[in-house]
Amino acid sequence: NAGVTQTPKFRVLKTGQSMTLLCAQDMNHEYMYWYRQDPGMGLRLIHYSVGEGTTAKGEVPDGYNVSRLKKQNFLLGLESAAPSQTSVYFCASSQREGAYNEQFFGPGTRLTVL
Amino acid sequence: GQNIDQPTEMTATEGAIVQINCTYQTSGFNGLFWYQQHAGEAPTFLSYNVLDGLEEKGRFSSFLSRSKGYSYLLLKELQMKDSASYLCAVMDSNYQLIWGAGTKLIIKP
C-alpha cells in the first residue's frame, strides 16, 4: 500500500498562475483533508471532504477550490496564485469522522509563489 | 477563540527523559492527539487521549487532564532519531482538529 501520495512534491509559480495539487489514497478512506503548514503556525485546514462528490470549507478556504470526483482522489486548485499562498501543503485521509480519527498524511507539496 | 499552546523548542540529552506540555482552549472536546513530524516530512500519529489519565506506548506516554485543559507527551530513553517536532491537536465539538504550532525537540549526544 502506498498510503497517501501527493503530486507534485515541489512547485514554483508566478503570481497569477494556476495549478492543481493531486492527492491520492489507497486505503479506501471516506474522509480527506487539505492543510497548509506555515512556519510558527499549526496546520490549518483549507478544505475537506466526507465522501465522494462532497466538499466543505475549512478554516482558510479563500483562494482555493477542491474536487472529489473519485473516492481515492482529492484535488486542490489555486486559480490565481498569490505570494501569501507560499506554503507546504499536506493532504490527509481518515477512515471516518468521530472521536477517534487518526489522520494519515501525504509527504507534502512545497509551493513557492513569486 | 480556539487556542493550543505548546513550547516552541526544547533541548534534551540522549538517554534522558523529556516532557512536552500542551494546553488548550477549544469549543468542545472530542479527544487530543499527538503527532511526530521529522523535518521535511509528514506528521505521523503517536497517541490519542480522550479520558483523563496516562496512556503508555513503549517509550512514549501521553497524559490528559480535561478539567485543566492540559496534556503532556513524555519521551523516555531519548534517542537521536527522536529529534523532530511534536504536534498537539485537539478535536473540537465539530470533530475538526485544531493544531498547535508544534514543539521542536533537539536531542544532543
Side-chain angles (χ1 to χ4, degrees), chain A residues 35 37 40-43 45 48 90 97-103 105-106 110, chain B residues 30 33 35 37 40-43 45 48 87 91 94-97 99-101:
Chain A
Y35 291 96
Q37 187 175 41
M41 302 182 73
L43 288 161
L45 184 64
Y48 65 101
F90 285 102
E97 199 175 42
Y100 181 69
N101 179 16
E102 178 186 346
Q103 295 185 11
F105 284 81
R110 284 144 187 81
Chain B
N30 280 303
F33 294 77
Y35 279 76
Q37 185 178 24
E41 297 184 8
F45 170 80
Y48 171 74
L87 313 180
M91 183 162 283
N94 294 318
Y95 295 100
Q96 297 293 339
L97 277 179
W99 295 82

Side-chain angles (χ1 to χ4, degrees), chain A residues 29-33 49-51 68 92-97:
Chain A
H29 285 170
E30 288 293 334
Y31 294 83
M32 296 187 75
Y33 313 84
S49 169
V50 301
R68 182 102 181 267
S93 70
S94 65
Q95 189 169 17
R96 59 173 175 81
E97 199 175 42

Side-chain angles (χ1 to χ4, degrees), chain A residues 34-46 60 64 85-91 105-111, chain B residues 35-43 85-87 99-103:
Chain A
W34 275 108
Y35 291 96
R36 60 178 290 172
Q37 187 175 41
D38 300 295
M41 302 182 73
L43 288 161
R44 290 184 291 169
L45 184 64
I46 303 170
V60 289
Y64 305 94
Q85 294 178 305
T86 293
S87 188
V88 179
Y89 292 86
F90 285 102
C91 176
F105 284 81
T109 295
R110 284 144 187 81
L111 175 66
Chain B
Y35 279 76
Q36 180 190 59
Q37 185 178 24
H38 285 100
E41 297 184 8
S85 289
Y86 292 86
L87 313 180
W99 295 82
T103 298

Side-chain angles (χ1 to χ4, degrees), chain B residues 42-102:
Chain B
T44 55
F45 170 80
L46 284 178
S47 68
Y48 171 74
N49 294 71
V50 66
L51 300 176
D52 290 351
L54 189 68
E55 294 279 343
E56 296 186 82
K57 191 185 293 185
R59 295 189 299 114
F60 292 8
S61 302
S62 55
F63 172 83
L64 175 67
S65 169
R66 288 173 296 171
S67 63
K68 296 182 179 179
Y70 167 70
S71 173
Y72 68 73
L73 181 69
L74 191 71
L75 290 73
K76 303 176 183 177
E77 301 170 10
L78 285 170
Q79 302 175 8
M80 297 304 294
K81 67 178 181 180
D82 297 330
S83 292
S85 289
Y86 292 86
L87 313 180
C88 175
V90 173
M91 183 162 283
D92 68 10
S93 56
N94 294 318
Y95 295 100
Q96 297 293 339
L97 277 179
I98 310 300
W99 295 82

Side-chain angles (χ1 to χ4, degrees), chain A residues 7-81:
Chain A
T7 52
K9 287 186 170 54
F10 302 92
R11 187 71 187 268
V12 178
L13 289 178
K14 294 180 180 179
T15 298
Q17 286 184 319
S18 63
M19 77 165 295
T20 300
L21 283 68
L22 172 63
C23 175
Q25 54 94 3
D26 62 2
M27 296 174 283
N28 202 35
H29 285 170
E30 288 293 334
Y31 294 83
M32 296 187 75
Y33 313 84
W34 275 108
Y35 291 96
R36 60 178 290 172
Q37 187 175 41
D38 300 295
M41 302 182 73
L43 288 161
R44 290 184 291 169
L45 184 64
I46 303 170
H47 286 279
Y48 65 101
S49 169
V50 301
E52 182 178 314
T54 75
T55 63
K57 293 180 180 179
E59 179 187 357
V60 289
D62 293 342
Y64 305 94
N65 56 75
V66 288
S67 64
R68 182 102 181 267
L69 298 179
K70 292 183 178 181
K71 185 177 183 178
Q72 64 267 35
N73 295 338
F74 196 27
L75 279 63
L76 178 71
L78 287 73
E79 291 186 346
S80 179

